[in-house]
Amino acid sequence: MTLEPSRPGPLPRRRFLLAGVLAMAAAPLAAACTSTPPPPPGPDPLEPLAARARADAALARAVAESVPGAGQDLVQAATAVAASRKAHAEALDQEIQRARPVTGSSAPSSSSGVPTAPPTAAEAKAALVEALTAAEQEARALVTTAPRHRAGLLGSVTASCASLREVLA
Amino acid sequence: MTSPNPGPSGQSSANGPQPRPTGEAVEAVQRALAAEHAAEWSYGLAAVLVAKEMEKTASTDLAAHRTRREATERMLRDAGATPVPPQPAYQPPKPVTDAASATELLVTAETDTAGAWRAVLERTDDQGLRQFALDALTSAAVRATRWRRAGRQSPLTVPFPGQPG
């Protein structure tokens, strides 16, 4: 599903828009990640992002399941937020684990309680927008200084949160 | 090339330091520029076919791509590289004949663009370029969401915009 130049042109190497090229380019990068330098001491800067993603997923699930008067649009949007934020939490956890396999035992403390859904659809929507805005800012703040192999993930999380706000708009 | 080259001391980006691609980042930025060229071409083709209520969005989005493309060309020239030119035409994955297929083409163009800019993020340590690529990735993902909604596609979003595979 990508656009290609309609003619090979004089530079056949430069068929830029083939997803396969990007995928192949990413593969050695992923392999290289295993030999990245040891992480600095202290908590992993991704931990607050993972915790926030889990909390957002729980909030969104609660909205989708139990807000009275939530229309179909809000239920669908909240379901999308829940699924994406859960995927973010898992990817962030995975990267945290990869960087520090030894401290794995202290990793995801998943149960911070089930959040109470806001009482009205309008408040639920506002709460989701607020959560996504904070999540986007938090991820965005790390993108410019993160190691390369994390910059892509953080960029995608940032872009996803912005897209989910668009769904709620 | 509609914009003059302002040179290294020219127009600065809205926020943060000037993007300065070096090494493997140059090739990644060139691929992103190629995606921007393809996106502009796609909007040109789709503009006359999208639903009436989406015409303004299409023209705003085209303008955003043009601005991004021009800034990308400046960045490459400032880095001593020759920006890749647009292709004369592109091959859409499916024939573009009506509002639905035009909208689908725009989703594809935005998805390609997001992927190309995310690849830049992973190939540079330059903070200005990271910021530039992040803004490009994020705005492409938001536009893709809007066009999916216009095309009544489901789901409206992907969890990791720009991620390959």
Side-chain angles (χ1 to χ4, degrees), chain A:
Chain A
M1 279 295 289
T2 56
L3 284 154
E4 294 177 50
S6 60
R7 270 165 249 165
L11 297 169
R13 268 190 67 242
R14 296 190 168 170
R15 288 192 183 178
F16 300 99
L17 302 175
L18 293 169
V21 173
L22 292 173
M24 284 189 320
L29 195 74
C33 290
T34 54
S35 59
T36 46
D44 193 307
L46 297 187
E47 277 171 19
L49 277 71
R52 186 189 286 279
R54 273 191 294 278
D56 290 354
L59 171 68
R61 266 195 308 277
V63 169
E65 287 162 8
S66 64
V67 170
Q72 198 191 344
D73 282 357
L74 179 56
V75 170
Q76 277 178 3
T79 304
V81 172
S84 287
R85 295 297 281 151
K86 179 169 181 279
H88 296 167
E90 287 167 359
L92 291 162
D93 282 340
Q94 202 178 347
E95 168 55 20
I96 292 165
Q97 286 283 108
R98 189 202 60 74
R100 277 167 233 231
V102 194
T103 61
S105 54
S106 66
S109 55
S110 53
S111 63
S112 50
V114 178
T116 316
T120 67
E123 287 170 89
K125 192 169 168 176
L128 288 175
V129 170
E130 193 183 334
L132 289 167
T133 304
E136 183 186 338
Q137 284 169 354
E138 197 176 28
R140 179 179 282 277
L142 294 183
V143 171
T144 48
T145 53
R148 288 186 184 194
H149 66 279
R150 288 185 168 190
L153 171 61
L154 288 164
S156 286
V157 169
T158 304
S160 171
C161 291
S163 305
L164 290 166
R165 280 199 290 132
E166 179 66 27
V167 173
L168 284 159

Side-chain angles (χ1 to χ4, degrees), chain A residues 140 143-144, chain B residues 15-16 121 126-136:
Chain A
R140 179 179 282 277
V143 171
T144 48
Chain B
N15 43 23
L121 280 181
D126 180 87
Q127 294 196 12
L129 181 53
R130 286 261 185 103
Q131 190 65 56
F132 188 94
L134 176 66
D135 290 344

Side-chain angles (χ1 to χ4, degrees), chain B:
Chain B
M1 317 310 153
T2 55
S3 68
N5 180 1
S9 60
Q11 191 178 327
S12 67
S13 60
N15 43 23
Q18 284 275 355
R20 299 208 179 282
T22 53
E24 65 173 334
V26 173
E27 194 58 29
V29 172
Q30 293 278 29
R31 280 194 291 268
L33 174 58
E36 293 291 346
H37 283 312
E40 275 188 70
W41 181 88
S42 300
Y43 275 93
L45 177 66
V48 295
L49 292 168
V50 296
K52 195 90 187 148
E53 69 271 16
M54 293 305 290
E55 281 176 2
K56 191 155 183 289
T57 303
S59 102
T60 306
D61 289 358
L62 172 57
H65 279 291
R66 189 175 291 134
T67 302
R68 178 74 57 192
R69 187 257 300 162
E70 288 171 354
T72 307
E73 288 171 340
R74 276 198 299 275
M75 179 207 306
L76 284 163
R77 284 197 205 95
D78 288 351
T82 303
V84 293
Q87 298 287 329
Y90 297 83
Q91 181 67 57
K94 289 184 195 170
V96 177
T97 54
D98 56 10
S101 51
T103 301
E104 211 172 313
L105 174 67
L106 297 181
V107 173
T108 301
E110 296 295 358
T111 303
D112 285 0
T113 308
W117 284 112
R118 173 174 149 141
V120 172
L121 280 181
E122 295 178 322
R123 284 162 182 78
T124 183
D125 298 315
D126 180 87
Q127 294 196 12
L129 181 53
R130 286 261 185 103
Q131 190 65 56
F132 188 94
L134 176 66
D135 290 344
L137 162 59
T138 304
S139 50
V142 170
R143 286 190 296 262
T145 302
R146 235 176 258 146
W147 288 109
R148 286 192 199 99
R149 172 149 51 201
R152 295 188 169 76
Q153 290 187 23
S154 181
L156 292 176
T157 55
V158 293
F160 300 101
Q163 182 170 273

